[in-house]
Amino acid sequence: MDNIIEFLNLEDSDVELVSQRIERNQRIVTIQKKLVPHFCPVCSYRMHSKGIYPRTINHPIMQDDLQLVLIVNQRRWQCTNPACRDIETDEFLLFEKYKHNSKLTDLMIIDAFRDPNLTASYIAHKFNVSDTYALTTFAKYVDMHRRPLTEAICIDEVHVEVSKVCNYALVIQDFVTGEPIDMIANRRQEITEPYFTNLPTVEKNRVKYLVSDMYRPYIAYVDKYFPNAISVVDSFHVIKHINNQLRIYLNKLARKLRTRDEEHHVQREAYFHRELKFVPSKEYYLVKHFQWVILSNPDNRRYSAPPRFNYKLGYYLDLPEIEHLLFQIDPDLKSLRRLKDKYINFNNSYGNDPKRARPALHQLIQEYRNSGFPLFRNIADTLDYHFESIINSFIVMKRYCADGTHLSRLSNGPMESLNRIAKDLKRNGRGFRNFEHLRNRFLFAERKNAQMLASPLPPEKYQVKTGIKRGPYKKKKP
């Protein structure tokens, strides 16, 4: 390999290739400085060589599916002046003194942290370093700051469970770009109030739309911190609230049928004077396992799908047959689903037209109150309480997507996909104990072209001293 020096992209012009060989899945390359006269930097006397000391440098690059093992022959020099006797060693720009990792290793470790699916342990194993070294390298060169607030922001919590103080973290997202603005340690008022109060007034005045779910403290942010903003309740969470109320109704019905089956089972055992195997009724099975028929979106119901054999019931079932059986168990289910579908149809009918949506929502609330179902009377009260925020969700804005710019309704849909990344980080890492690391990792992974620091932070900025003595561990992974 005459061009191995060029391939390694070494900045030292006086480096030469000594040898290179292949053993199993490794390419072992030996380099050294060209032998030239050396003079003492202290007294300018001639220096003589005291021998070569080989060093193995971790330089994680691959070639032809082979792992590179870089051996550096470092020569030590001593001054010939008896009054000086200064000792110098060859210096290489590829790595720093007293370090076994090349400068490229740190850059590649930091770049690997951009992938939220990779754990710190996997990254450390990949680059042949310890977990502590990988985490410390990331902490030294990555310090993500809050971005300025924009015209439309989304707010939601994500369950991170770092500690009792940091259980639900608050995420702020730019609706237009979809990138996170910041992550706050907790959604509690004692944490959020100082945070939002200390934000620059110019930024707070810039916010026009604050998108959230129906959590009332989030809606109150508009009056407390953002004087020029209006509250927007995400349509997804409104439909989720209606479905949750229906699910509670279905679970109560299932428990009622289960209780009936258990009473009937006790009577049968008393009649036969022996223990019998408990078998739930067909009605209980249908209500328990086919709730999706009631809760599903009407556009997702495939009435043309062929029937499928149900081994529990022992015959073929299609969607119309399932509906028929459920409505026989409780005739109210048909009316409840029809009322739920009316809100979904309303939500899909007035995009970019808040004026027409206003009287339609008034009419829907009135119909829910006159339905005769306490469940929908409670839903009507909720819709009435969040009336203006729901109407504001029909406003559209330009939003950047992967395939360009599109008009999109104000919603927390982008936030839900963003929160998934934080949950994936927590699950892959088996939890976190350091919120700042989780925050930096999350923002670094989700911001486009997130920049690392030009110079490392001082140790007091990233070192966490717990006071716990560290036990034995293996620096090298097997």
Side-chain angles (χ1 to χ4, degrees), residues 55-107:
R55 294 179 58 185
T56 301
I57 301 299
N58 183 24
H59 191 59
I61 62 174
M62 300 287 289
Q63 184 186 26
D64 299 333
D65 295 328
L66 298 175
Q67 180 183 1
L68 176 69
V69 177
L70 187 62
I71 298 177
V72 178
N73 289 339
Q74 196 166 12
R75 194 181 297 271
R76 183 173 294 181
W77 301 86
Q78 187 171 29
C79 180
T80 56
N81 184 0
C84 180
R85 308 298 290 175
D86 183 51
I87 296 178
E88 300 288 335
T89 55
D90 288 339
E91 293 185 1
F92 294 79
L93 298 177
L94 179 65
F95 57 91
E96 297 180 9
K97 197 174 182 180
Y98 307 122
K99 284 195 174 183
H100 295 284
N101 296 307
S102 68
K103 296 178 181 178
L104 180 63
T105 305
D106 290 354
L107 295 176

Side-chain angles (χ1 to χ4, degrees), residues 262-279:
E262 289 174 351
E263 291 175 353
H264 181 63
H265 178 71
V266 172
Q267 292 174 2
R268 291 181 68 240
E269 286 184 331
Y271 179 80
F272 290 103
H273 302 288
R274 61 187 177 90
E275 291 186 2
L276 300 173
K277 181 180 179 181
F278 176 73
V279 179

Side-chain angles (χ1 to χ4, degrees), residues 23-34:
E23 293 183 2
R24 296 183 181 179
N25 63 334
Q26 294 181 336
R27 182 184 298 277
I28 303 174
V29 178
T30 304
I31 62 173
Q32 66 182 20
K33 289 274 190 176
K34 295 177 181 178

Side-chain angles (χ1 to χ4, degrees), residues 190-413:
E190 59 266 25
I191 302 295
T192 59
E193 187 166 357
Y195 178 88
F196 286 111
T197 303
N198 293 327
L199 290 177
T201 305
V202 177
E203 287 189 33
K204 291 189 285 187
N205 292 339
R206 186 185 304 151
V207 179
K208 294 184 179 179
Y209 307 105
L210 189 143
V211 188
S212 67
D213 54 21
M214 292 188 289
Y215 188 51
R216 295 189 180 184
Y218 295 162
I219 298 174
Y221 288 170
V222 170
D223 297 327
K224 293 176 66 174
Y225 311 119
F226 307 108
N228 298 329
I230 59 175
S231 173
V232 179
V233 167
D234 177 41
S235 60
F236 166 80
H237 286 92
V238 179
I239 297 174
K240 181 181 178 182
H241 173 73
I242 297 174
N243 279 340
N244 285 341
Q245 298 301 311
L246 281 173
R247 189 176 286 108
I248 293 173
Y249 180 90
L250 290 168
N251 289 337
K252 286 182 179 179
L253 177 60
R255 286 196 297 269
K256 181 180 177 182
L257 294 170
R258 176 85 177 192
T259 303
R260 184 204 66 181
D261 295 342
E262 289 174 351
E263 291 175 353
H264 181 63
H265 178 71
V266 172
Q267 292 174 2
R268 291 181 68 240
E269 286 184 331
Y271 179 80
F272 290 103
H273 302 288
R274 61 187 177 90
E275 291 186 2
L276 300 173
K277 181 180 179 181
F278 176 73
V279 179
S281 64
K282 178 183 71 173
E283 291 84 358
Y284 171 80
Y285 173 77
L286 287 166
V287 174
K288 186 68 176 178
H289 296 279
F290 289 93
Q291 294 186 5
W292 61 268
V293 176
I294 307 299
L295 304 177
S296 62
N297 192 311
D299 296 334
N300 297 334
R301 296 177 198 142
R302 298 177 56 194
Y303 288 95
S304 60
R308 300 177 63 181
F309 187 79
N310 186 287
Y311 289 91
K312 190 75 174 179
L313 301 178
Y315 52 84
Y316 284 89
L317 285 176
D318 57 6
L319 184 55
E321 178 66 17
I322 297 173
E323 290 180 346
H324 174 70
L325 293 173
L326 285 173
F327 298 156
Q328 275 188 331
I329 298 171
D330 185 354
D332 288 342
L333 291 178
K334 186 173 184 179
S335 300
L336 292 173
R337 190 180 73 167
R338 177 181 58 82
L339 291 170
K340 185 263 298 184
D341 290 348
K342 280 198 169 186
Y343 186 87
I344 295 177
N345 293 331
F346 156 77
N347 184 67
N348 296 335
S349 301
Y350 299 98
N352 195 22
D353 200 347
K355 290 184 179 180
R356 289 181 56 215
R358 186 178 296 273
L361 183 56
H362 272 301
Q363 182 179 354
L364 188 60
I365 291 174
Q366 194 63 30
E367 183 176 354
Y368 281 0
R369 283 180 173 153
N370 298 333
S371 64
F373 296 107
L375 181 153
F376 273 93
R377 284 199 294 268
N378 294 335
I379 292 174
D381 293 339
T382 302
L383 297 179
D384 192 27
Y385 181 85
H386 297 286
F387 186 89
E388 290 299 329
S389 298
I390 293 173
I391 294 300
N392 293 336
S393 69
F394 290 91
I395 299 173
V396 299
M397 284 188 64
K398 285 185 178 181
R399 182 170 172 268
Y400 296 115
C401 302
D403 55 347
T405 305
H406 299 279
L407 288 175
S408 176
R409 278 180 60 179
L410 293 174
S411 73
N412 249 9

